[in-house]
Amino acid sequence: MRLVVCFLSLLTVFGPAECGNVLVWFSDGSHWINLKIVLETLIDRGHNVTVLVPDASLFMKAKESDRFSYQPFNASVDEQEMRDFIEELVYFSVYETDQLNLLQFLMKFYNLASIIQDMCTSYCDGILKSSKLMDKLRNGKFDIVLSDPMYPCSDILAEELNVPLVYTFRLSIANVLERMCGQIPAPPSFVPGVMSKLTDKMSFTERIMNMLFYLSQDFFATIAWRKFDNYYTEYLKESPTVHPIMKPLSLLIYSRHEDMEEFVQSSGDDGIVVFTLGSLVEKMLKETINKIASALAQIPQKVLWRYNGEKPDTLGENTRTYKWIPQNDLLGHPKTRAFITHGGTNSIYEAIYHGVPMVGIPLFADQPDNLVHMKAKGAAVVIDNIKTMEPQDLVDGLNTIINDPSYKENTMRLSRIHHDRPIKPLDEAVFWIEFVMRNKGAKHLRVEAHNLTWYQYHCLDVFAFLIAILTVVLYAFFKMCKFFIIRCCFRKSKKE
Amino acid sequence: MRLVVCFLSLLTVFGPAECGNVLVWFSDGSHWINLKIVLETLIDRGHNVTVLVPDASLFMKAKESDRFSYQPFNASVDEQEMRDFIEELVYFSVYETDQLNLLQFLMKFYNLASIIQDMCTSYCDGILKSSKLMDKLRNGKFDIVLSDPMYPCSDILAEELNVPLVYTFRLSIANVLERMCGQIPAPPSFVPGVMSKLTDKMSFTERIMNMLFYLSQDFFATIAWRKFDNYYTEYLKESPTVHPIMKPLSLLIYSRHEDMEEFVQSSGDDGIVVFTLGSLVEKMLKETINKIASALAQIPQKVLWRYNGEKPDTLGENTRTYKWIPQNDLLGHPKTRAFITHGGTNSIYEAIYHGVPMVGIPLFADQPDNLVHMKAKGAAVVIDNIKTMEPQDLVDGLNTIINDPSYKENTMRLSRIHHDRPIKPLDEAVFWIEFVMRNKGAKHLRVEAHNLTWYQYHCLDVFAFLIAILTVVLYAFFKMCKFFIIRCCFRKSKKE
């Protein structure tokens, strides 16, 4: 893969922009939720935004009210297929990982990874191999391609259209993409690989685990990306390299609901607990749901639970379920005492923003990792395994973060630091996107690392040369010493 | 050494500050010129600024018109001593480096380094060992200590006063301090050591030179800092670590002079050349000066030369010398065609800011490095050795950058990028200084690297362990194979 910009986040306030044309590569789920807000701002600033959208998508629904244009494309993935896959992925992560033996686990993991790859290939084909669509895009006079590197091939599109590319990016497993960026340092000694569930304070054993995690994921990434090598050989003549732009986002705006406010106010001094498990998880085993509901029934707080399934048998008087809740508004409510969360990035940022302590029930992806870090900062209690969780664990967790004042203090400290920045993250993202449009790319920010081989990057050729020189010198020295000693002894013995 | 903040530059616009007390460690030369502008802005924003100033200083002169308070201290260094040292340093760098043999060079280098260390020790003593002064500072209710890490011991002062410390920092030889910071990556494969005169595009030989440069400077730094170990053992109980804040500055404001403007206007279409050799260099060999003057006499442009010495015999009609010139204003003048510069950081930034191509005559410190980078960007012609320079070299250099349009284009491109930032560098510096004051330090930005030993940092213990395991497994496997083969063969031969 190849691209144009690679830098750490920088911040800004800035003047009016020249109107440009922005092309957005397909993305889905929380990735799309975040990207959409950046696109809205680009439109506010006078740019035209066109979004590539496949026939089937979970979140990317073309609405008349949307202000950006959609450019549909055909992909051989239907919506049910995607829902089934996500359910399988969640079930695998939550219920299966510790039941399977290593071989079964690896096979299942490989199987799921293959499905993702097939889907991605289908999207790549849908765009790159449709000559009609490609011609239309070529005539679209785009100034920039925006994409999330989770979804491959946007770099090829940018290359084909001959326009700069900007990635919006949350993370990659074991920082594989971030490290390829070259500019982002990740010494395995103190940078825990993303999704390793480690923090920056690691014991010797943990550092070994971290190193193995990096090495194995590097290996896995090499295997996984082999599937896309065809594309790169076909479209690009150069060997593929990667360097993404980092862009953390944290703000979502929702509207208020009156009946909800009434329920929140009825909680009195005990306050409320907000409970969601993210945008992708719709269904869970009935047993798990009942355990959760019975735990919630035991606390004095009122609970607002975003839950879409059948009503649990053990649901308490104090708990109400909603198909959707204005999570960010509720977290900002003065009566909110705690937040039960799966630990998705947006949820974590919203909890930090409002300074609400968390009980974490991580499911998959970066969620366990995010919550480990919140726990290390003293802002969360984490329930490691939703499958083996007992109701009392959840009750204890909630009581701890609500009654031990250190959790509130720590979360408020994080909140203060989070707010104490020179400029809003959204403005920051938009500034750098426009920067790339204005300057027709940002080649001056590319690190020279991309033009080095792996052994050059790690200075192995230099070390080999220096060690060779040293060896020759030492060898010559040793030979000389030997020569003189023998000669000396030889003369001596001759004399004798 | 120890400190509090370590991050890459970030940018800002921000509201009113709470009034605080800022204590500034002594610095001199261009380091003080830059720091002073930050201090002015802090005062504009309502802070009280107190500057520690020794009896003798070249640039740090207490003036009645200054808005910050000075806190004098005694140091056993007088002004003449300092001037002599700087002249010796410049003479060594410009005239002696290639005349001396390696042993002479190293002895002279070591000698000069010792003088610097003795001066620094004298400043440290002047502040830290004066119990009267220290008591006064302890009662001063300071919120922060600001300093340049070129001048050691400010970290001890901050520790003694128990307040956060912020470094303002341009560079250290071979990025020694930057790499100790831990967060700033410097793989020797593509990051040229500061003052190595290399760029990010390096051949195999250059990469070997770069590696040796890093290694030798690491060694030298260890030796050089040994002198200050006493302080750290005496004042701090912990082992010393370093992590500085990066803060590039680029704006200086001067006033206009009318007679100068008249001379500039008289240049007609040919325009003018601005010529300065920095804030520290007062005197050069008469021979060199005459060569320069005779070269300048040959060009059609008018030349404004900041020069403090005797009038050169070969001075042309078109050249005027001035004790001081408003360099930044002149570089911003529409008639300016070229800039002859020693390549100091501020001069380079000012030339980029106004998009003026350069002829570089580097003298010492970071100057050769800065100019190598400008040359690589196609914005400068560099004269490598002022000692062996012939007048024609300077004439050719000036003609090239003035008549080849690519130099102007490249410099204008750098200028556009330099201006295209979300916020002014000065605001950026002030935001982060106030951030540290507001948050009583910035411990959350410290990298965990500071708590690791060198072999842990480089994962050598982890590698050793993994290789040991691998060796044992391979050894066992080999032994087993051998055992079965022998047994197999043995039976076979028995049967036979």
Side-chain angles (χ1 to χ4, degrees), chain A residues 399-427:
Chain A
N399 283 335
T400 306
I401 63 165
I402 293 169
N403 300 326
D404 178 345
S406 76
Y407 283 89
K408 183 70 186 173
E409 281 160 21
N410 291 332
T411 320
M412 284 310 292
R413 203 187 127 262
L414 291 181
S415 181
R416 271 198 309 279
I417 295 171
H418 184 78
H419 284 269
D420 194 354
R421 51 174 85 198
I423 202 160
K424 285 184 192 163
L426 185 58
D427 293 336

mmCIF file of all heavy atoms in Angstrom, chain A residues 399-427:
data_model
loop_
_atom_site.group_PDB
_atom_site.id
_atom_site.type_symbol
_atom_site.label_atom_id
_atom_site.label_comp_id
_atom_site.label_asym_id
_atom_site.label_seq_id
_atom_site.Cartn_x
_atom_site.Cartn_y
_atom_site.Cartn_z
ATOM 1 N N ASN A 399 -20.413 -0.594 42.527
ATOM 2 C CA ASN A 399 -20.276 -0.010 43.860
ATOM 3 C C ASN A 399 -18.895 0.600 44.058
ATOM 4 O O ASN A 399 -18.760 1.666 44.662
ATOM 5 C CB ASN A 399 -20.546 -1.071 44.944
ATOM 6 C CG ASN A 399 -22.046 -1.321 45.077
ATOM 7 O OD1 ASN A 399 -22.854 -0.442 44.750
ATOM 8 N ND2 ASN A 399 -22.416 -2.523 45.514
ATOM 9 N N THR A 400 -17.875 -0.089 43.554
ATOM 10 C CA THR A 400 -16.516 0.427 43.701
ATOM 11 C C THR A 400 -16.361 1.786 43.034
ATOM 12 O O THR A 400 -15.918 2.758 43.648
ATOM 13 C CB THR A 400 -15.498 -0.556 43.085
ATOM 14 O OG1 THR A 400 -15.709 -1.843 43.658
ATOM 15 C CG2 THR A 400 -14.070 -0.101 43.341
ATOM 16 N N ILE A 401 -16.727 1.873 41.742
ATOM 17 C CA ILE A 401 -16.464 3.141 41.039
ATOM 18 C C ILE A 401 -17.384 4.258 41.510
ATOM 19 O O ILE A 401 -17.042 5.435 41.411
ATOM 20 C CB ILE A 401 -16.539 3.001 39.493
ATOM 21 C CG1 ILE A 401 -17.925 2.595 39.020
ATOM 22 C CG2 ILE A 401 -15.482 2.054 38.975
ATOM 23 C CD1 ILE A 401 -18.117 2.800 37.537
ATOM 24 N N ILE A 402 -18.570 3.906 42.064
ATOM 25 C CA ILE A 402 -19.481 4.952 42.542
ATOM 26 C C ILE A 402 -19.108 5.422 43.947
ATOM 27 O O ILE A 402 -19.128 6.618 44.241
ATOM 28 C CB ILE A 402 -20.952 4.474 42.491
ATOM 29 C CG1 ILE A 402 -21.383 4.289 41.036
ATOM 30 C CG2 ILE A 402 -21.886 5.464 43.198
ATOM 31 C CD1 ILE A 402 -22.698 3.570 40.845
ATOM 32 N N ASN A 403 -18.671 4.495 44.806
ATOM 33 C CA ASN A 403 -18.455 4.865 46.206
ATOM 34 C C ASN A 403 -17.011 5.188 46.560
ATOM 35 O O ASN A 403 -16.757 5.878 47.544
ATOM 36 C CB ASN A 403 -18.977 3.755 47.120
ATOM 37 C CG ASN A 403 -20.466 3.536 46.898
ATOM 38 O OD1 ASN A 403 -21.199 4.496 46.625
ATOM 39 N ND2 ASN A 403 -20.911 2.290 46.969
ATOM 40 N N ASP A 404 -16.044 4.656 45.791
ATOM 41 C CA ASP A 404 -14.645 5.006 46.043
ATOM 42 C C ASP A 404 -14.337 6.303 45.284
ATOM 43 O O ASP A 404 -14.258 6.304 44.057
ATOM 44 C CB ASP A 404 -13.746 3.864 45.561
ATOM 45 C CG ASP A 404 -12.269 4.165 45.732
ATOM 46 O OD1 ASP A 404 -11.934 5.348 45.953
ATOM 47 O OD2 ASP A 404 -11.462 3.238 45.624
ATOM 48 N N PRO A 405 -14.144 7.425 46.018
ATOM 49 C CA PRO A 405 -14.015 8.723 45.325
ATOM 50 C C PRO A 405 -12.811 8.810 44.388
ATOM 51 O O PRO A 405 -12.770 9.654 43.495
ATOM 52 C CB PRO A 405 -13.886 9.741 46.466
ATOM 53 C CG PRO A 405 -13.528 8.949 47.681
ATOM 54 C CD PRO A 405 -14.070 7.570 47.488
ATOM 55 N N SER A 406 -11.806 7.922 44.576
ATOM 56 C CA SER A 406 -10.614 8.028 43.729
ATOM 57 C C SER A 406 -10.957 7.820 42.250
ATOM 58 O O SER A 406 -10.318 8.404 41.368
ATOM 59 C CB SER A 406 -9.554 7.025 44.172
ATOM 60 O OG SER A 406 -9.901 5.724 43.753
ATOM 61 N N TYR A 407 -11.961 6.998 41.950
ATOM 62 C CA TYR A 407 -12.324 6.763 40.544
ATOM 63 C C TYR A 407 -12.852 8.034 39.882
ATOM 64 O O TYR A 407 -12.493 8.365 38.765
ATOM 65 C CB TYR A 407 -13.330 5.612 40.429
ATOM 66 C CG TYR A 407 -12.668 4.267 40.593
ATOM 67 C CD1 TYR A 407 -12.524 3.689 41.856
ATOM 68 C CD2 TYR A 407 -12.141 3.591 39.502
ATOM 69 C CE1 TYR A 407 -11.881 2.471 42.028
ATOM 70 C CE2 TYR A 407 -11.492 2.382 39.657
ATOM 71 C CZ TYR A 407 -11.371 1.820 40.916
ATOM 72 O OH TYR A 407 -10.728 0.624 41.056
ATOM 73 N N LYS A 408 -13.730 8.731 40.610
ATOM 74 C CA LYS A 408 -14.257 9.989 40.074
ATOM 75 C C LYS A 408 -13.127 11.009 39.898
ATOM 76 O O LYS A 408 -13.031 11.681 38.869
ATOM 77 C CB LYS A 408 -15.345 10.539 41.012
ATOM 78 C CG LYS A 408 -16.020 11.820 40.530
ATOM 79 C CD LYS A 408 -16.906 11.607 39.313
ATOM 80 C CE LYS A 408 -17.462 12.914 38.765
ATOM 81 N NZ LYS A 408 -18.171 12.715 37.489
ATOM 82 N N GLU A 409 -12.244 11.089 40.912
ATOM 83 C CA GLU A 409 -11.121 12.048 40.837
ATOM 84 C C GLU A 409 -10.224 11.760 39.647
ATOM 85 O O GLU A 409 -9.842 12.664 38.907
ATOM 86 C CB GLU A 409 -10.282 11.988 42.119
ATOM 87 C CG GLU A 409 -10.900 12.746 43.281
ATOM 88 C CD GLU A 409 -10.344 12.291 44.634
ATOM 89 O OE1 GLU A 409 -9.237 11.709 44.657
ATOM 90 O OE2 GLU A 409 -11.044 12.487 45.651
ATOM 91 N N ASN A 410 -9.853 10.488 39.484
ATOM 92 C CA ASN A 410 -8.975 10.131 38.369
ATOM 93 C C ASN A 410 -9.615 10.428 37.019
ATOM 94 O O ASN A 410 -8.960 10.906 36.093
ATOM 95 C CB ASN A 410 -8.608 8.646 38.429
ATOM 96 C CG ASN A 410 -7.707 8.341 39.609
ATOM 97 O OD1 ASN A 410 -6.958 9.208 40.059
ATOM 98 N ND2 ASN A 410 -7.785 7.134 40.132
ATOM 99 N N THR A 411 -10.915 10.127 36.903
ATOM 100 C CA THR A 411 -11.590 10.366 35.629
ATOM 101 C C THR A 411 -11.694 11.863 35.353
ATOM 102 O O THR A 411 -11.530 12.314 34.221
ATOM 103 C CB THR A 411 -12.989 9.719 35.629
ATOM 104 O OG1 THR A 411 -12.909 8.445 36.265
ATOM 105 C CG2 THR A 411 -13.491 9.525 34.216
ATOM 106 N N MET A 412 -11.943 12.649 36.408
ATOM 107 C CA MET A 412 -12.010 14.103 36.238
ATOM 108 C C MET A 412 -10.650 14.663 35.825
ATOM 109 O O MET A 412 -10.560 15.600 35.040
ATOM 110 C CB MET A 412 -12.484 14.786 37.524
ATOM 111 C CG MET A 412 -13.982 14.662 37.800
ATOM 112 S SD MET A 412 -15.028 15.114 36.395
ATOM 113 C CE MET A 412 -14.710 16.880 36.294
ATOM 114 N N ARG A 413 -9.572 14.056 36.346
ATOM 115 C CA ARG A 413 -8.222 14.492 35.972
ATOM 116 C C ARG A 413 -7.998 14.237 34.478
ATOM 117 O O ARG A 413 -7.518 15.100 33.745
ATOM 118 C CB ARG A 413 -7.176 13.726 36.792
ATOM 119 C CG ARG A 413 -5.849 14.451 36.911
ATOM 120 C CD ARG A 413 -4.783 13.594 37.577
ATOM 121 N NE ARG A 413 -3.595 13.541 36.731
ATOM 122 C CZ ARG A 413 -3.313 12.566 35.904
ATOM 123 N NH1 ARG A 413 -4.117 11.524 35.799
ATOM 124 N NH2 ARG A 413 -2.221 12.618 35.163
ATOM 125 N N LEU A 414 -8.379 13.040 34.022
ATOM 126 C CA LEU A 414 -8.264 12.731 32.595
ATOM 127 C C LEU A 414 -9.092 13.715 31.781
ATOM 128 O O LEU A 414 -8.675 14.184 30.725
ATOM 129 C CB LEU A 414 -8.752 11.305 32.307
ATOM 130 C CG LEU A 414 -7.895 10.150 32.849
ATOM 131 C CD1 LEU A 414 -8.524 8.821 32.451
ATOM 132 C CD2 LEU A 414 -6.469 10.238 32.328
ATOM 133 N N SER A 415 -10.296 14.032 32.281
ATOM 134 C CA SER A 415 -11.182 14.945 31.587
ATOM 135 C C SER A 415 -10.538 16.324 31.446
ATOM 136 O O SER A 415 -10.563 16.930 30.374
ATOM 137 C CB SER A 415 -12.510 15.053 32.342
ATOM 138 O OG SER A 415 -13.384 15.920 31.666
ATOM 139 N N ARG A 416 -9.931 16.808 32.539
ATOM 140 C CA ARG A 416 -9.277 18.119 32.488
ATOM 141 C C ARG A 416 -8.185 18.160 31.436
ATOM 142 O O ARG A 416 -8.095 19.094 30.629
ATOM 143 C CB ARG A 416 -8.679 18.464 33.864
ATOM 144 C CG ARG A 416 -9.612 19.190 34.809
ATOM 145 C CD ARG A 416 -8.846 19.863 35.946
ATOM 146 N NE ARG A 416 -7.928 18.951 36.624
ATOM 147 C CZ ARG A 416 -8.291 18.081 37.566
ATOM 148 N NH1 ARG A 416 -9.561 17.993 37.951
ATOM 149 N NH2 ARG A 416 -7.403 17.303 38.140
ATOM 150 N N ILE A 417 -7.346 17.118 31.427
ATOM 151 C CA ILE A 417 -6.250 17.069 30.446
ATOM 152 C C ILE A 417 -6.810 16.985 29.027
ATOM 153 O O ILE A 417 -6.319 17.624 28.105
ATOM 154 C CB ILE A 417 -5.336 15.858 30.730
ATOM 155 C CG1 ILE A 417 -4.638 16.030 32.067
ATOM 156 C CG2 ILE A 417 -4.325 15.686 29.608
ATOM 157 C CD1 ILE A 417 -3.884 14.799 32.530
ATOM 158 N N HIS A 418 -7.868 16.174 28.872
ATOM 159 C CA HIS A 418 -8.494 15.968 27.566
ATOM 160 C C HIS A 418 -9.036 17.289 26.993
ATOM 161 O O HIS A 418 -8.953 17.533 25.791
ATOM 162 C CB HIS A 418 -9.633 14.962 27.742
ATOM 163 C CG HIS A 418 -10.324 14.574 26.472
ATOM 164 N ND1 HIS A 418 -9.788 13.674 25.584
ATOM 165 C CD2 HIS A 418 -11.505 14.960 25.945
ATOM 166 C CE1 HIS A 418 -10.620 13.530 24.554
ATOM 167 N NE2 HIS A 418 -11.672 14.289 24.757
ATOM 168 N N HIS A 419 -9.581 18.122 27.873
ATOM 169 C CA HIS A 419 -10.141 19.402 27.419
ATOM 170 C C HIS A 419 -9.062 20.452 27.209
ATOM 171 O O HIS A 419 -9.276 21.417 26.497
ATOM 172 C CB HIS A 419 -11.151 19.940 28.451
ATOM 173 C CG HIS A 419 -12.458 19.234 28.431
ATOM 174 N ND1 HIS A 419 -13.509 19.642 27.659
ATOM 175 C CD2 HIS A 419 -12.874 18.116 29.065
ATOM 176 C CE1 HIS A 419 -14.525 18.816 27.833
ATOM 177 N NE2 HIS A 419 -14.166 17.883 28.683
ATOM 178 N N ASP A 420 -7.931 20.265 27.887
ATOM 179 C CA ASP A 420 -6.898 21.300 27.887
ATOM 180 C C ASP A 420 -6.041 21.170 26.636
ATOM 181 O O ASP A 420 -4.878 20.783 26.681
ATOM 182 C CB ASP A 420 -6.039 21.144 29.142
ATOM 183 C CG ASP A 420 -5.183 22.380 29.384
ATOM 184 O OD1 ASP A 420 -5.196 23.280 28.517
ATOM 185 O OD2 ASP A 420 -4.518 22.443 30.429
ATOM 186 N N ARG A 421 -6.643 21.485 25.502
ATOM 187 C CA ARG A 421 -5.870 21.430 24.272
ATOM 188 C C ARG A 421 -6.084 22.723 23.502
ATOM 189 O O ARG A 421 -7.106 23.383 23.653
ATOM 190 C CB ARG A 421 -6.273 20.228 23.437
ATOM 191 C CG ARG A 421 -7.756 20.098 23.193
ATOM 192 C CD ARG A 421 -8.025 18.960 22.236
ATOM 193 N NE ARG A 421 -8.106 17.680 22.895
ATOM 194 C CZ ARG A 421 -7.985 16.512 22.270
ATOM 195 N NH1 ARG A 421 -7.731 16.497 20.991
ATOM 196 N NH2 ARG A 421 -8.094 15.380 22.921
ATOM 197 N N PRO A 422 -5.103 23.092 22.700
ATOM 198 C CA PRO A 422 -5.185 24.409 22.060
ATOM 199 C C PRO A 422 -6.319 24.514 21.047
ATOM 200 O O PRO A 422 -6.782 25.614 20.775
ATOM 201 C CB PRO A 422 -3.828 24.565 21.382
ATOM 202 C CG PRO A 422 -3.203 23.225 21.383
ATOM 203 C CD PRO A 422 -3.825 22.434 22.464
ATOM 204 N N ILE A 423 -6.789 23.399 20.498
ATOM 205 C CA ILE A 423 -7.820 23.504 19.470
ATOM 206 C C ILE A 423 -8.612 22.214 19.363
ATOM 207 O O ILE A 423 -8.137 21.154 19.745
ATOM 208 C CB ILE A 423 -7.189 23.881 18.118
ATOM 209 C CG1 ILE A 423 -8.236 24.512 17.228
ATOM 210 C CG2 ILE A 423 -6.533 22.694 17.473
ATOM 211 C CD1 ILE A 423 -7.625 25.303 16.137
ATOM 212 N N LYS A 424 -9.848 22.297 18.841
ATOM 213 C CA LYS A 424 -10.702 21.121 18.764
ATOM 214 C C LYS A 424 -10.159 20.087 17.770
ATOM 215 O O LYS A 424 -9.727 20.454 16.679
ATOM 216 C CB LYS A 424 -12.101 21.537 18.330
ATOM 217 C CG LYS A 424 -12.908 22.215 19.411
ATOM 218 C CD LYS A 424 -14.313 22.502 18.896
ATOM 219 C CE LYS A 424 -15.072 23.431 19.834
ATOM 220 N NZ LYS A 424 -16.230 24.030 19.174
ATOM 221 N N PRO A 425 -10.269 18.811 18.116
ATOM 222 C CA PRO A 425 -9.768 17.746 17.227
ATOM 223 C C PRO A 425 -10.395 17.797 15.834
ATOM 224 O O PRO A 425 -9.744 17.482 14.846
ATOM 225 C CB PRO A 425 -10.174 16.464 17.948
ATOM 226 C CG PRO A 425 -10.388 16.848 19.351
ATOM 227 C CD PRO A 425 -10.815 18.277 19.357
ATOM 228 N N LEU A 426 -11.659 18.202 15.775
ATOM 229 C CA LEU A 426 -12.345 18.254 14.482
ATOM 230 C C LEU A 426 -11.699 19.311 13.576
ATOM 231 O O LEU A 426 -11.428 19.058 12.392
ATOM 232 C CB LEU A 426 -13.824 18.566 14.715
ATOM 233 C CG LEU A 426 -14.733 18.553 13.503
ATOM 234 C CD1 LEU A 426 -14.686 17.202 12.798
ATOM 235 C CD2 LEU A 426 -16.177 18.848 13.907
ATOM 236 N N ASP A 427 -11.417 20.480 14.153
ATOM 237 C CA ASP A 427 -10.750 21.543 13.389
ATOM 238 C C ASP A 427 -9.382 21.076 12.913
ATOM 239 O O ASP A 427 -8.935 21.381 11.810
ATOM 240 C CB ASP A 427 -10.585 22.799 14.248
ATOM 241 C CG ASP A 427 -11.915 23.440 14.588
ATOM 242 O OD1 ASP A 427 -12.872 23.220 13.825
ATOM 243 O OD2 ASP A 427 -11.993 24.129 15.608
#
